[in-house]
Amino acid sequence: KKRERPRLVVFGGKNTGDDSEFLEQYNSLERYNPSTNAWEEEAVAPMPTARSGVRWSMLHGKLYAVGGAAFSSVAFSATLVERYDLATKVWDAVAPMATARNSHAVAV
């Protein structure tokens, strides 16, 4: 099924202050609609786990968020893999990677 209006999807990331210290990590998932020149945050669901350095790929019509760096009291690379269904707007966890990674490459 061909989508009528293609959109750009952005998710995860972090905000740093002027002194480059970590301030906030995001779990938001936002879509850019070029036909309206607007970002849509309400139309999609946030990632279950906030992290930066996460990489993604599309597989069988689903968006996979793979690895990344998650923060609690310290930063750590993640083995997390979460899958987002654009049709149902639902995230679910899939099998974690064997080795934690962030700022890596993912391809299909």
Side-chain angles (χ1 to χ4, degrees):
K1 180 178 177 181
K2 185 177 178 183
R3 289 191 344 208
E4 295 176 20
R5 297 174 297 187
R7 294 190 172 65
L8 174 69
V9 178
V10 176
F11 59 94
K14 67 180 177 179
N15 178 18
T16 56
D18 294 335
D19 57 3
S20 295
E21 287 188 27
F22 169 76
L23 293 179
E24 184 178 9
Q25 198 162 34
Y26 301 119
N27 71 334
S28 62
L29 172 63
E30 301 173 25
R31 269 192 321 200
Y32 174 72
N33 184 340
S35 65
T36 63
N37 192 32
W39 287 92
E40 305 165 340
E41 190 169 355
E42 310 80 37
V44 293
M47 285 191 306
T49 308
R51 56 199 193 271
S52 60
V54 63
R55 298 301 188 245
W56 71 275
S57 192
M58 292 287 292
L59 181 63
H60 303 298
K62 295 189 169 72
L63 180 69
Y64 285 77
V66 181
F71 292 85
S72 53
S73 58
V74 296
F76 63 93
S77 293
T79 60
L80 293 168
V81 180
E82 295 168 326
R83 175 177 53 206
Y84 184 68
D85 187 321
L86 293 161
T88 63
K89 300 176 184 150
V90 173
W91 284 96
D92 62 285
V94 298
M97 294 185 294
T99 304
R101 293 178 172 88
N102 78 69
S103 301
H104 51 288
V106 174
V108 174

